[in-house]
Amino acid sequence: MTRSPSRRRVLQVATLACLGGAAGCLASSERPAAGASAPDTATATGTGTGTATPAATPTDTPTDSPTPTATTTPVESIDDWLATANGYRGDLEAHAPDEEAHVEVGRPTEDHSPSFQPAGLAVAPGTTVEWRWEGDDAYNVVALDGSFDSGEAVEGHGTNFAHTFEATGEHAYVSEPGTDDGFRGAVVVREPPRSGYPEADEWLRGIEGYEGEVTDRTDADEVTIRVGTEGYRGAFRFDPLLVKLSPGTTVRFEWTGEGGPHNVAFRDVDVESPEFPTESGVHLEHAFEEPGVYRYACEPHRAIGQRGALVVE
């Protein structure tokens, strides 16, 4: 890949404390020469091109502050691009608008190939994504559409680079030392999904696989929801995620036996499974008589996205 001369220009950077306090707090810093070893901890952030840089390096007022805009990714399909990415598991890891998003850089796969983890990331506009270096080899993060660039490849576990995505779009990127070896990833910036049921959308926003789709089972007397289906993080999903049913429909929660102990606990009605089963089978049944939105979760795994919802109408 031909490198842009702007790589060696001043970059907008920010410390981790700045990222924690307020999005968009920016500063700039000169980068170490190509090939130089990075210190144990480093951080950088940018809204255009940028370079990972030591956190202890003094920062100056940015002299160049380009505003990110949506651009067309120079690949025909993000799905095809990710299909050959090291460590890609077939799904985008989704994040809610107010949720921290980070990618590990150089995480070894089973065959010891370096990878971005997650390789595919889905975020809302305004989200700052932080890339965190793993291992001791030299890496960088370069968008094919030029929207972000960490600079020359640098070494050092703990090096960080961040970019805020203001506009919707799809961004394929690589680590240049491994461009032709599957060391690639993508960030898809999209508006949060909408199902027509705001309460359910808020509850499920950022859940892996949730696209606002409603499974309509209003013609059924009985509906089965599987507990502990496979996802990006393991067997920590409900399937389907959002179901619409008629009053009086019985919902059967069927455990797959995968992912360890799960339970089902509702927030909007006093219904929950009596234990935390690990074996497969139906461990909870309930008939929902009153119209409304009913949100539920597996309590041990709620924080990693094992949530679901029912709409009765």
Side-chain angles (χ1 to χ4, degrees):
M1 176 182 296
T2 301
R3 304 312 303 258
S4 169
S6 62
R7 155 180 321 288
R8 298 178 176 84
R9 298 179 60 192
V10 176
L11 166 71
Q12 300 174 22
V13 299
T15 63
L16 286 175
C18 176
L19 283 173
C25 179
L26 301 175
S28 65
S29 173
E30 297 245 339
R31 299 294 171 237
S37 296
D40 290 338
T41 58
T43 182
T45 182
T47 53
T49 58
T51 310
T53 190
T57 303
T59 58
D60 301 317
T61 303
T63 59
D64 185 15
S65 302
T67 300
T69 57
T71 56
T72 302
T73 303
V75 295
E76 292 185 0
S77 166
I78 286 293
D79 290 337
D80 291 344
W81 171 258
L82 288 174
T84 56
N86 297 341
Y88 181 54
R89 302 179 184 180
D91 289 308
L92 298 175
E93 181 174 301
H95 286 261
D98 57 350
E99 186 180 13
E100 175 185 324
H102 71 269
V103 178
E104 295 174 350
V105 181
R107 171 63 66 89
T109 62
E110 291 182 357
D111 64 358
H112 306 293
S113 299
S115 71
F116 294 105
Q117 286 299 323
L121 192 65
V123 300
T127 300
T128 296
V129 177
E130 182 178 80
W131 284 266
R132 302 173 181 174
W133 271 236
E134 297 284 335
D136 299 319
D137 292 331
Y139 307 121
N140 64 354
V141 179
V142 182
L144 271 62
D145 62 9
S147 56
F148 55 90
D149 185 340
S150 70
E152 301 291 348
V154 295
E155 301 174 355
H157 180 88
T159 299
N160 299 326
F161 168 74
H163 177 76
T164 300
F165 293 87
E166 300 291 357
T168 58
E170 298 180 335
H171 306 272
Y173 66 89
V174 298
S175 177
E176 288 179 323
T179 300
D180 299 323
D181 300 318
F183 197 179
R184 57 177 60 180
V187 177
V188 176
V189 188
R190 61 193 184 191
E191 294 294 339
R194 293 180 173 83
S195 66
Y197 302 97
E199 192 174 4
D201 291 336
E202 183 65 27
W203 177 246
L204 298 175
R205 188 167 295 162
I207 300 300
E208 177 193 350
Y210 182 63
E211 304 289 345
E213 179 181 358
V214 181
T215 300
D216 190 343
R217 298 300 308 278
T218 53
D219 59 346
D221 295 327
E222 186 176 272
V223 172
T224 298
I225 295 175
R226 301 181 72 217
V227 181
T229 61
E230 283 291 334
Y232 180 82
R233 295 180 173 94
F236 307 116
R237 293 180 61 181
F238 293 107
D239 183 30
L241 290 170
L242 177 59
V243 183
K244 181 168 66 173
L245 41 119
S246 300
T249 301
T250 297
V251 179
R252 304 170 75 249
F253 290 90
E254 181 178 4
W255 272 242
T256 65
E258 303 295 331
H262 303 291
N263 76 334
V264 176
F266 279 81
R267 290 173 57 90
D268 308 290
V269 64
D270 186 17
V271 174
E272 65 179 284
S273 57
E275 52 189 4
F276 294 84
T278 58
E279 68 277 10
S280 61
V282 176
H283 298 290
L284 176 65
E285 290 184 299
H286 186 77
F288 291 83
E289 303 289 348
E290 297 296 327
V293 174
Y294 296 89
R295 301 165 296 169
Y296 61 91
C298 169
E299 291 174 315
H301 306 126
R302 172 183 167 184
I304 59 174
Q306 192 169 355
R307 285 176 273 175
L310 305 172
V311 175
V312 180
E313 64 177 28

